[in-house]
Amino acid sequence: METVSQREELHRTIWKIAEELRGSVDGWDFKAYVLGFLFYRFISENLCAYISDLESKDYISFSDEMAYSAKDEIVKRKGFFIAPSDLFSTILDSLNVEENLKNLNERLAKAFSNIQNSCDGSESEESFKGLFKDIDLQSQKLGNTTIERNKKLAKIMNAIGQLDLNMQNSKIDAFGDAYEYLMGMYASSAGKSGGEFFTPQGVSHLLAKLTLHNYDKPNKVYDPACGSGSLLLQYKKILHRDPDLGYFGQEINHTTYNLCRMNMFLHNVEYPKIHIAHGDTLLCPCDVHKNNEPFDAIISNPPYSTKWIGKDNPLLINDSRFAKAGALAPKSYADYAFIMHALSWLSERGSAAIVVFPGILYRGGAELAIRSYLIDENYIDSIIALPENLFFGTNIATCIMILKKNKTHINTLFIDASSKFHKQGIKNTLFVEHTQEIIKLYTDYKDTPYLAKCATQAQIRENGYNLSVSSYVQKQDTREKIDIKALNAEIQEIGKRQADLRMRLDSIIAELEGI
């Protein structure tokens, strides 16, 4: 209960801060500032806690000169260095003197630059490079003058500084939980752009659990379209540890790429286990990831029906990731390109769970050719229909495709989980009990009336390689059942009563006319 109450109190405080800070800066644009300063505070306190445990001294009391004498060792251990004068709390406390407000943006710009440059040439350089780039300290959205902008920055810092995020005494992962809550809050108000970078926690949890059903000890996990990293970090929550070789992900949007790296640090993932790359996974998969594939667990919610170059690049049909299917995903629908990429990098003992748009399960053309390959080669283990209105930015009812390379049978399980949700605000939400029900259906892997159907390869071929769940799982008829014989008897009885009443009425009228 203490965990629940702490989390609820944290969420109430964050919501209050967000409400107070609304105004000149749109909520979606504002996330870079709020999340960025939350990250700044976290790494500052994280370093102070590390030095305190090591030296039994308060790092804030160190002079910059004393701290710099240990810089190389700190960077080696923590991956970054922050001078005492650049700490979040140091700069925040300095704002008690009004004079310091005049050059706050310059002071912050210098601190951010010092932190990013502190790991130049070290193993952690890629993990920290450009992390503060999206915090535009000179943005006109903060105000028309320097002093207006600095007042807004000070307001943000004060708000973040007031959050109760005690790392030592908190029963929850306070910084990580605050970050996830903020991302979800901003995504819910951002329409489509928010949904592209954040997968709701209920769906993320289900996807990770599905991949762990086949092999529950993955030493590394991968997401080819990782967004803010919420999917990858589900493994930390479920396994209660980081995978030995860490988290691998690639993200095409630079702002979201930075959010993902921050998210990793805020969940206390050490930099050697963070392998997040920026770029186009389909055209330029990260070399580090290439050298580490195959992966035991692959999890992803790639952008639905996004465009890509497809057959206009003649080299792609010879790419080992796509060549075996004999066809490339259509230029207007890259969904199967992500699926084939994931399959190519999946280990023989692992599982991939991918959120897919329903249209790819029944459309013809190149998508039919790729579906046929996946079924004929026995790679599709299950298709799960999810409820509608789960995701931010779209109301469509999506599905999950589960891929495996080590199936011991030639069946595919179709699960209709479209009714497994609770209404929460304007969205539908997967709760723990829904995840458990879906996992049980998947684990049982058998026909369950109105919920699951185990179809053979032959049945799927006969159905034209249509993978729509509705083609295999019969919907329960919830209409009231009517007993026709009983209804007819009731109608006859009503007719008799009507005839009797008519006779009595005629008799009364005759009597009245005779008077």
Side-chain angles (χ1 to χ4, degrees):
M1 286 303 294
E2 186 179 358
T3 298
V4 173
S5 62
Q6 281 191 355
R7 182 170 286 113
E8 289 177 345
E9 177 60 30
L10 175 62
H11 290 177
R12 280 194 294 270
T13 305
I14 292 172
W15 180 261
K16 181 181 177 182
I17 289 171
E19 285 292 297
E20 289 175 350
L21 296 177
R22 290 182 193 274
S24 60
V25 182
D26 176 72
W28 185 239
D29 293 329
F30 210 58
K31 76 180 188 306
Y33 296 99
V34 178
L35 296 174
F37 277 105
L38 181 69
F39 172 72
Y40 177 32
R41 179 185 163 186
F42 170 79
I43 60 173
S44 293
E45 294 186 12
N46 184 277
L47 180 59
C48 288
Y50 169 74
I51 299 297
S52 178
D53 290 343
L54 202 66
E55 301 288 337
S56 298
K57 294 180 181 178
D58 187 351
Y59 184 59
I60 298 175
S61 66
F62 283 33
S63 66
D64 280 4
E65 290 74 20
M66 185 185 303
Y68 269 103
S69 67
K71 173 180 174 291
D72 291 343
E73 184 61 27
I74 292 173
V75 170
K76 185 177 179 180
R77 297 294 297 274
K78 298 297 295 179
F80 65 96
F81 172 81
I82 307 176
S85 61
D86 286 337
L87 291 168
F88 177 92
S89 60
T90 302
I91 295 180
L92 179 60
D93 289 344
S94 73
L95 298 180
N96 292 328
V97 179
E98 190 171 347
E99 185 69 21
N100 292 330
L101 191 63
K102 294 180 181 179
N103 67 341
L104 175 60
N105 56 346
E106 295 177 5
R107 184 71 194 85
L108 287 169
K110 181 181 177 182
F112 293 166
S113 177
N114 290 341
I115 295 169
Q116 290 174 155
N117 296 336
S118 70
C119 50
D120 284 354
S122 71
E123 292 181 3
S124 61
E125 181 176 357
E126 284 302 312
S127 296
F128 281 87
K129 189 176 181 179
L131 265 176
F132 293 99
K133 185 177 180 180
D134 293 300
I135 306 178
D136 186 356
L137 301 170
Q138 303 292 343
S139 175
Q140 294 291 317
K141 293 179 180 180
L142 292 172
N144 294 321
T145 66
T146 298
I147 193 63
E148 286 178 357
R149 293 193 283 272
N150 284 342
K151 284 181 178 178
K152 179 71 78 172
L153 291 171
K155 192 173 184 179
I156 298 170
M157 288 192 71
N158 272 301
I160 295 298
Q162 289 168 14
L163 282 175
D164 184 10
L165 300 172
N166 189 314
M167 290 189 293
Q168 278 72 38
N169 298 325
S170 178
K171 298 294 183 182
I172 60 174
D173 182 8
F175 276 95
D177 195 78
Y179 198 74
E180 287 178 9
Y181 183 75
L182 279 164
M183 286 193 293
M185 185 175 66
Y186 286 127
S188 67
S189 63
K192 184 179 179 182
S193 57
E196 288 176 348
F197 92 110
F198 185 75
T199 302
Q201 291 298 309
V203 180
S204 301
H205 183 74
L206 173 61
L207 289 165
K209 292 286 283 186
L210 287 167
T211 64
L212 293 173
H213 170 72
N214 191 44
Y215 182 70
D216 63 0
K217 297 179 181 179
N219 60 3
K220 53 192 172 184
V221 296
Y222 174 64
D223 184 347
C226 63
S228 59
S230 60
L231 288 174
L232 289 171
L233 287 164
Q234 283 297 323
Y235 291 101
K236 185 182 185 78
K237 296 179 180 180
I238 294 170
L239 300 172
H240 303 293
R241 62 176 178 82
D242 295 316
D244 293 339
L245 299 180
Y247 305 90
F248 296 76
Q250 188 158 342
E251 172 55 38
I252 194 169
N253 180 285
H254 194 275
T255 297
T256 312
Y257 157 69
N258 281 340
L259 289 175
C260 182
R261 290 187 295 161
M262 288 183 185
N263 202 5
M264 291 285 163
F265 285 113
L266 284 161
H267 281 84
N268 259 324
V269 180
E270 297 180 352
Y271 78 87
K273 294 186 177 183
I274 300 175
H275 309 283
I276 307 301
H278 175 236
D280 189 327
T281 298
L282 300 181
L283 302 183
C284 301
C286 174
D287 287 338
V288 172
H289 299 170
K290 281 184 184 178
N291 296 334
N292 278 275
E293 61 97 356
F295 297 94
D296 294 333
I298 298 179
I299 187 172
S300 193
N301 179 17
Y304 310 141
S305 301
T306 192
K307 292 179 171 60
W308 76 312
I309 193 170
K311 63 182 181 181
D312 284 352
N313 182 343
L315 299 178
L316 285 174
I317 193 59
N318 297 316
D319 188 308
S320 60
R321 296 172 296 162
F322 312 124
K324 293 178 181 178
L328 291 172
K331 292 191 296 180
S332 296
Y333 308 108
D335 308 71
Y336 273 110
F338 283 104
I339 289 169
M340 290 300 296
H341 169 79
L343 177 66
S344 177
W345 284 17
L346 181 64
S347 73
E348 292 295 327
R349 65 186 179 186
S351 293
I354 305 169
V355 179
V356 300
F357 181 77
I360 75 165
L361 301 177
Y362 57 80
R363 289 192 298 239
E367 292 180 316
L368 172 58
I370 299 172
R371 277 202 312 276
S372 302
Y373 165 77
L374 294 172
I375 289 297
D376 290 342
E377 295 298 321
N378 200 29
Y379 289 133
I380 299 183
D381 192 45
S382 183
I383 302 290
I384 303 172
L386 295 176
E388 63 182 7
N389 199 28
L390 283 178
F391 294 87
F392 301 115
T394 181
N395 293 326
I396 62 171
T398 56
C399 298
I400 297 172
M401 180 182 289
I402 301 176
L403 303 172
K404 288 170 65 174
K405 290 183 175 179
N406 63 346
K407 291 171 63 179
T408 56
H409 52 79
I410 56 171
N411 301 324
T412 296
L413 182 69
F414 294 87
I415 298 175
D416 183 357
S418 59
S419 64
K420 308 298 182 183
F421 68 91
H422 282 316
K423 192 78 173 177
Q424 195 171 48
I426 62 172
K427 304 300 289 183
N428 294 332
T429 303
L430 289 180
F431 285 8
V432 173
E433 61 263 31
H434 303 129
T435 296
Q436 292 171 342
E437 291 169 9
I438 296 169
I439 293 294
K440 186 178 188 310
L441 288 168
Y442 179 59
T443 303
D444 291 345
Y445 213 91
K446 64 181 182 181
D447 291 357
T448 304
Y450 312 119
L451 290 173
K453 173 66 178 177
C454 197
T456 65
Q457 271 186 345
Q459 289 174 316
I460 296 173
R461 289 193 190 103
E462 289 171 8
N463 199 21
Y465 292 98
N466 186 330
L467 297 180
S468 298
V469 172
S470 60
S471 295
Y472 301 92
V473 182
Q474 180 185 359
K475 283 283 188 184
Q476 185 173 8
D477 188 352
T478 57
R479 293 174 298 179
E480 182 182 358
K481 290 182 173 56
I482 300 174
D483 186 332
I484 299 299
K485 289 183 178 180
L487 180 60
N488 285 334
E490 186 177 345
I491 291 172
Q492 289 176 1
E493 183 62 31
I494 291 173
K496 290 178 181 178
R497 290 201 300 268
Q498 284 179 332
D500 183 55
L501 287 170
R502 188 174 296 112
M503 289 176 62
R504 291 171 59 188
L505 182 60
D506 290 345
S507 176
I508 293 171
I509 293 173
E511 288 179 10
L512 291 173
E513 288 177 344
I515 296 174

